[in-house]
Each structure stands twice: as structure tokens, then as C-alpha cells.
Amino acid sequence: MMSEQKPSRWSQDVTAQSDALDLEKGVFTFKDPKRIAASLKRSAEASTRRKADPFRSAMSMLVFYMNRAGRNLSDDDRARLDAAKNELRRLFERAPAKKA
């Protein structure tokens, strides 16, 4: 009797089966930051299970992914995902992030 294979990391499980958002498959691997942001926006707005507003849910999932990847995220990937965060802010008509 074969059981379903479990993801090797709990964070992979969260990303794949979030209780708040149904993410498009491979969303964080898209090369275009605008496509990533648009997909997250669609997922957040379509969700009936999220607890926060759509912007916060989408941004939280993106930041969660970036934080869990940590040092394993290449500089190019980090730049692409940071650009997706900025695009998400634009799509939701939020103020740009403040520079540190």
C-alpha cells in the first residue's frame, strides 16, 4: 500500500496547500515579476478562506516564500521577487516601499 509522498519541507507544504490562497502552480518560478504579482493578486481576490485583505494575503505569501528560501535564493531570483513585490503594490494601488 503506497501512501502519498509528503513534501520534504513543511514550508513547501504551506506554499503548495495554503489554507488562505490557492496558488497557481509554479508561481514563484515565473520569470516575469508582473506575471507573479498578477497571479498572486488573482489568487488572493478569488480566495474565500483568507483572513486578511487580498493585498496583505498576497504579499504575505510572497514574503513567506522569500524568507523560507533564505540564502538558497540567488541574487537574480531575489531581485525578481523584490520586483514582484513592487508590482503587487502597484496593482493594489499601495505606496511604494520606503528605502532603508
Side-chain angles (χ1 to χ4, degrees):
M1 192 166 147
M2 290 194 119
S3 63
E4 186 175 325
Q5 185 176 354
K6 288 188 172 188
S8 58
R9 304 189 189 283
W10 68 267
S11 55
Q12 182 180 4
D13 188 43
V14 169
T15 303
Q17 299 179 8
S18 165
D19 194 36
L21 300 179
D22 292 324
L23 298 175
E24 186 175 351
K25 186 174 177 80
V27 65
F28 298 115
T29 62
F30 296 161
K31 297 298 179 200
D32 183 9
K34 290 182 179 184
R35 185 174 173 206
I36 295 169
S39 177
L40 288 169
K41 184 176 192 271
R42 275 192 307 274
S43 295
E45 289 178 336
S47 176
T48 58
R49 300 184 315 267
R50 64 181 158 70
K51 294 179 180 145
D53 64 281
F55 171 73
R56 180 61 18 222
S57 293
M59 187 64 77
S60 292
M61 187 58 76
L62 180 53
V63 169
F64 172 81
Y65 179 82
M66 292 175 73
N67 288 342
R68 294 309 305 164
R71 286 177 282 190
N72 296 326
L73 201 57
S74 71
D75 289 343
D76 288 342
D77 287 340
R78 185 167 304 282
R80 181 177 46 83
L81 295 174
D82 278 334
K85 284 169 47 176
N86 291 331
E87 181 63 19
L88 200 54
R89 288 184 188 100
R90 190 190 67 74
L91 289 174
F92 278 102
E93 300 176 353
R94 300 292 178 107
K98 295 178 182 172
K99 298 286 181 185

